[in-house]
């Protein structure tokens, strides 16, 4: 029987969750759901110097908003907890000690000053930033270099020490990446990474391997930036747990801007975090607006992320979450960088707003109105307005501009659209329209349109010549849904007020 699929997203709580992070979540989630497996969220908080308070909460809120909730996590619980590495601290030392015992790791007693000295002493033109590696380790203060007695004495005295992996020399470490196929690394080029720090905390490298093992992870998907660390992880798997238990790896492609690598400025401009953050993003040193605040729908956000590096082999671009679960396969993720184009992202959102049920949009639209002081939004009215304007909105925030005229009489008019062709005939026509509308028994779009066209025909005016002025009268400019629909919604009195008010503006000057 094949093992139950278990995947994990393992963020470090060091800041906001950005595009790439959520895409990693999404691919993990889709893969787990497709295979009836479990999606685990593990907080990798062993590097206390980079810890940002609030970041963990932020990550959970993002997952909630996107609907990509884990099955197991510090908040959801699960059999394999605790799911915060800082709470698993006691577990790691034994593995590091085991590696020392087996000759794959060693105690390093070097002080920060020793390390600093190493970096200057061994610096050459050829090697400007020397690393603690096989060429240098025998010149340092560690258990490879000291006698057993000296080591014992240091340990007994409680001397602070790291445990470092002893990278083999001249070995090739290979593994099969689900996206990149066979990948190989020369071990001599990799430094002796610290596995356990002097404070007893593991580094990411040790913790990720131990926890993937203890949590029975079957597949590990993560960003391409972790590929250089993969040989260390593969060796740790080999030394500690045997390669046959190692998860299958997939390193996801980088996300690039339209012109190459995503810059910090792109991030600020396009709101790469999911939400605005309550802290300054350490990566951009500024407060950034997120996709949510920019007016994206979670459905659209997931959809656009899915396509950043994956497609199903057809031209299809709009996918629901259920379709993604059905069609997603990690082998179809490409290895080359995925270009993120914000304008294309907006296109996805527009498509999703169009497809969304009114019910699905109401809460956010009402909130947007409330923020702008419009609270007179009963349910029936909201249903009508959203139904009328949703096809015209790219971002949720557009709902305001696209429908504010339902609540407010225009203060200004696009006179250029009307004035050049304004004349007395039209003036008289609208005076008649007002009279007709005042008497109309039936206040609905169809009747209003019929009456309007009839008056035009009697006066030998082409309806097209008076429809635009009517629109400008009701909304102020050349935009908005069907003009008679607008009249129906704002009601008789308000329609007549607007026509009358606009007539004086059009006639003036
Ligand atoms: N803690 C790592 C991160 O912050 C996780 C990398 C991995 O998934 O192995 O991205």
């Amino acid at each position: 029987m094949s093992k139950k699929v278990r995947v994990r997203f393992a963020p470090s709580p060091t800041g906001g969750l950005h595009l790439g992070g959520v895409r990693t979540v999404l691919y993990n989630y889709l893969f787990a759901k497709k295979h009836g497996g479990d999606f685990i969220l593990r907080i990798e908080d062993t590097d206390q110097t980079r810890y940002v308070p609030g970041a963990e909460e932020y990550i959970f809120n993002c997952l909630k908003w996107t609907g990509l909730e884990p099955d197991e996590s510090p908040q959801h619980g699960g059999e394999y907890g605790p799911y915060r590495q800082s709470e698993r601290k006691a577990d790691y030392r034994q593995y590091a000690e085991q590696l020392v015992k087996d000759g794959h790791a060693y105690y390093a007693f070097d002080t920060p000053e020793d390390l600093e000295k190493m970096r200057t002493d061994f610096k050459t033109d050829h090697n400007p930033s020397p690393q603690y590696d096989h060429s240098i380790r025998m010149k340092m203060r560690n258990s490879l270099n000291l006698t057993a007695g000296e080591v014992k004495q240091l340990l007994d005295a409680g001397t602070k020490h790291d445990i470092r992996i002893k990278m083999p020399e001249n070995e090739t470490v290979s593994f099969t990446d689900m996206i990149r196929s066979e990948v190989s690394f020369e071990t001599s080029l990799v430094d002796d990474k610290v596995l356990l720090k002097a404070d007893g905390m593991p580094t990411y490298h040790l913790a990720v391997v131990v926890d993937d093992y203890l949590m029975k992870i079957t597949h590990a998907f993560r960003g391409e930036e972790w590929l250089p660390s993969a040989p260390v992880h593969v060796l740790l798997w080999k030394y500690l747990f045997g390669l046959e238990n190692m998860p299958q790896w997939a390193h996801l492609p980088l996300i690039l801007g339209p012109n190459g690598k995503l810059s910090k400025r792109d991030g600020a401009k396009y709101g790469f975090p999911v939400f605005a953050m309550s802290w300054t993003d350490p990566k951009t040193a500024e407060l950034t607006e997120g996709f949510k605040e920019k007016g994206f729908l979670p459905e659209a956000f997931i959809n656009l992320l899915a396509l950043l590096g994956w497609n199903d082999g057809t031209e299809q671009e709009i996918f629901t979450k259920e379709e993604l679960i059905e069609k997603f396969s990690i082998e179809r993720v490409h290895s080359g960088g995925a270009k993120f184009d914000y304008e294309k992202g907006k296109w996805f959102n527009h498509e999703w707003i169009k497809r969304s049920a009114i019910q699905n949009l109401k809460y956010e639209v009402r909130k947007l109105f409330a923020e702008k002081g419009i609270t007179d939004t009963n349910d029936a009215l909201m249903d009508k307005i959203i139904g009328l304007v949703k096809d015209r909105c790219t971002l949720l925030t557009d709902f305001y501009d696209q429908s504010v005229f339902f609540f407010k009489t225009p203060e200004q008019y696009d006179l250029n659209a009307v004035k050049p062709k304004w004349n007395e005939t039209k003036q008289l026509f609208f005076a008649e329209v007002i009279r007709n509308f005042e008497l109309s028994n039936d206040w609905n779009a169809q009747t209003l349109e019929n009456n309007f066209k009839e008056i035009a025909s009697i006066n030998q005016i082409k309806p097209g010549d008076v429809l635009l002025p009517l629109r400008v009268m009701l909304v102020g400019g050349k935009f908005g849904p069907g003009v008679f629909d607008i009249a129906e919604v704002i009601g008789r009195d308000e329609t007549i007020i607007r026509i009358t008010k606009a007539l004086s503006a059009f006639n003036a000057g």
Side-chain angles (χ1 to χ4, degrees):
M1 211 183 75
S2 60
K3 280 194 275 181
K4 182 171 193 195
V5 164
R6 287 177 57 81
V7 296
R8 85 303 191 274
F9 174 58
S12 299
T14 55
L17 203 48
H18 291 241
L19 268 190
V22 193
R23 189 196 52 182
T24 305
V25 172
L26 178 64
Y27 287 3
N28 272 290
Y29 178 94
L30 295 176
F31 187 84
K33 297 300 151 195
K34 186 184 172 95
H35 296 282
D38 298 324
F39 169 44
I40 290 106
L41 184 129
R42 182 174 69 225
I43 296 289
E44 304 212 322
D45 56 350
T46 56
D47 188 350
Q48 301 284 329
T49 58
R50 293 174 63 227
Y51 183 80
V52 173
E56 183 183 318
E57 199 54 34
Y58 176 94
I59 291 167
F60 278 107
N61 288 339
C62 291
L63 298 199
K64 198 171 221 148
W65 181 70
T66 51
L68 304 173
E69 297 229 34
D71 301 299
E72 297 169 28
S73 81
Q75 294 201 355
H76 298 76
E79 276 178 55
Y80 298 87
Y83 293 91
R84 244 178 238 114
Q85 288 183 329
S86 58
E87 293 167 20
R88 303 169 68 83
K89 184 176 168 188
D91 285 357
Y92 303 106
R93 176 168 282 277
Q94 55 170 312
Y95 294 100
E97 296 288 355
Q98 185 63 41
L99 289 164
V100 175
K101 225 160 89 202
D102 296 342
H104 299 304
Y106 56 90
Y107 302 116
F109 299 96
D110 317 275
T111 62
E113 295 72 42
D114 293 337
L115 295 175
E116 197 46 52
K117 190 165 178 308
M118 175 274 279
R119 284 190 276 268
T120 30
D121 286 0
F122 298 105
K123 188 170 159 177
T124 61
D125 286 347
H126 183 65
N127 187 9
S129 36
Q131 318 189 83
Y132 203 122
D133 62 10
H134 66 95
S135 66
I136 283 175
R137 64 167 80 108
M138 294 314 281
K139 299 169 185 143
M140 303 298 290
R141 215 162 152 255
N142 55 49
S143 58
L144 300 174
N145 207 14
L146 302 168
T147 64
E150 284 168 328
V151 172
K152 186 172 181 311
Q153 214 172 26
L154 285 167
L155 290 178
D156 288 348
T159 314
K160 279 199 165 175
H161 61 276
D162 296 328
I163 293 184
R164 285 180 182 268
I165 187 168
K166 184 178 169 207
M167 282 306 275
E169 267 173 77
N170 306 319
E171 253 184 49
T172 306
V173 170
S174 311
F175 68 94
T176 306
D177 185 281
M178 292 174 80
I179 298 171
R180 285 149 218 275
S181 309
E182 173 104 354
V183 236
S184 301
F185 299 85
E186 294 312 317
T187 52
S188 308
L189 300 176
V190 186
D191 59 324
D192 290 355
K193 299 256 184 274
V194 173
L195 301 178
L196 198 79
K197 290 177 285 188
D199 62 3
M201 269 292 191
T203 58
Y204 156 70
H205 302 291
L206 178 66
V208 79
V209 169
V210 168
D211 286 342
D212 282 351
Y213 170 77
L214 294 176
M215 295 184 181
K216 298 202 166 46
I217 300 303
T218 56
H219 299 79
F221 308 150
R222 58 186 183 186
E224 185 184 312
E225 66 274 22
W226 296 105
L227 198 53
S229 303
V232 179
H233 302 164
V234 172
L235 284 174
L236 288 175
W237 270 98
K238 181 171 147 188
Y239 299 150
L240 288 170
F241 309 119
L243 285 180
E244 63 282 8
N245 296 315
M246 188 169 77
Q248 274 183 269
W249 301 99
H251 289 86
L252 309 175
L254 289 178
I255 297 184
L256 308 171
N259 312 314
K261 202 170 179 328
L262 274 184
S263 66
K264 284 183 190 169
R265 270 225 327 278
D266 290 335
K269 188 161 156 209
Y270 303 135
F272 288 141
V274 183
F275 299 147
M277 291 172 283
S278 53
W279 64 87
T280 307
D281 183 353
K283 294 192 188 85
T284 57
E286 46 192 300
L287 283 167
T288 348
E289 211 182 21
F291 280 91
K292 182 173 180 282
E293 290 81 19
K294 286 201 177 277
F296 277 79
L297 286 175
E299 295 88 340
F301 185 54
I302 286 179
N303 190 162
L304 76 90
L305 280 183
L307 276 276
L308 276 180
W310 172 87
N311 64 61
D312 74 341
T314 72
E315 298 286 293
Q316 184 175 344
E317 291 188 286
I318 301 295
F319 293 89
T320 61
K321 188 160 96 177
E322 289 65 37
E323 279 177 290
L324 288 173
I325 292 173
E326 188 194 319
K327 302 199 167 153
F328 183 75
S329 80
I330 202 85
E331 286 82 5
R332 283 206 61 86
V333 174
H334 14 104
S335 57
K339 279 212 165 102
F340 173 65
D341 175 353
Y342 186 65
E343 293 306 314
K344 183 70 198 233
K346 284 188 355 200
W347 175 85
F348 277 103
N349 207 54
H350 183 47
E351 290 302 311
W352 269 100
I353 289 184
K354 283 199 280 184
R355 284 167 166 77
S356 280
I358 292 171
Q359 199 54 34
N360 195 25
L361 301 166
K362 217 184 314 191
Y363 175 79
E364 287 298 333
V365 175
R366 197 172 253 151
K367 211 170 88 191
L368 179 73
F369 284 169
E371 279 162 13
K372 307 256 188 186
I374 298 175
T375 46
D376 170 20
T377 51
N378 70 62
D379 242 26
L381 178 65
M382 286 306 285
D383 288 352
K384 266 228 165 86
I385 293 177
I386 295 175
L388 285 174
V389 306
K390 74 190 181 85
D391 285 9
R392 295 160 193 280
C393 298
T394 299
L395 297 169
L396 282 172
T397 42
D398 295 338
F399 270 93
Y400 182 75
D401 286 342
Q402 287 296 336
S403 47
V404 58
F405 54 80
F406 285 111
F407 301 94
K408 290 188 176 161
T409 312
E411 297 290 335
Q412 274 162 355
Y413 302 99
D414 181 354
L415 290 175
N416 290 336
V418 180
K419 280 292 259 191
K421 291 188 178 167
W422 189 245
N423 57 30
E424 210 183 324
T425 319
K426 290 185 183 173
Q427 211 174 307
L428 293 171
F429 166 81
F430 277 101
E432 204 175 328
V433 168
I434 293 179
R435 279 194 298 278
N436 179 286
F437 281 7
E438 271 169 348
L439 299 173
S440 174
N441 296 328
D442 233 0
W443 193 259
N444 70 60
Q446 195 53 60
T447 313
L448 297 176
E449 181 170 357
N450 293 345
N451 293 357
F452 186 87
K453 287 189 173 160
E454 206 179 300
I455 303 167
S457 145
I458 293 168
N459 287 286
Q460 294 180 344
I461 296 178
K462 280 194 250 136
D465 290 345
V466 274
L467 276 169
L468 177 68
L470 178 62
R471 172 174 297 284
V472 177
M473 288 169 167
L474 298 190
V475 311
K478 294 189 280 185
F479 64 95
V483 72
F484 299 104
D485 291 320
I486 299 172
E488 180 183 316
V489 174
I490 62 178
R492 184 199 310 266
D493 291 352
E494 180 64 17
T495 303
I496 292 171
I497 288 172
R498 291 191 190 186
I499 298 177
T500 313
K501 186 175 167 204
L503 274 177
S504 40
F506 293 178
N507 292 337

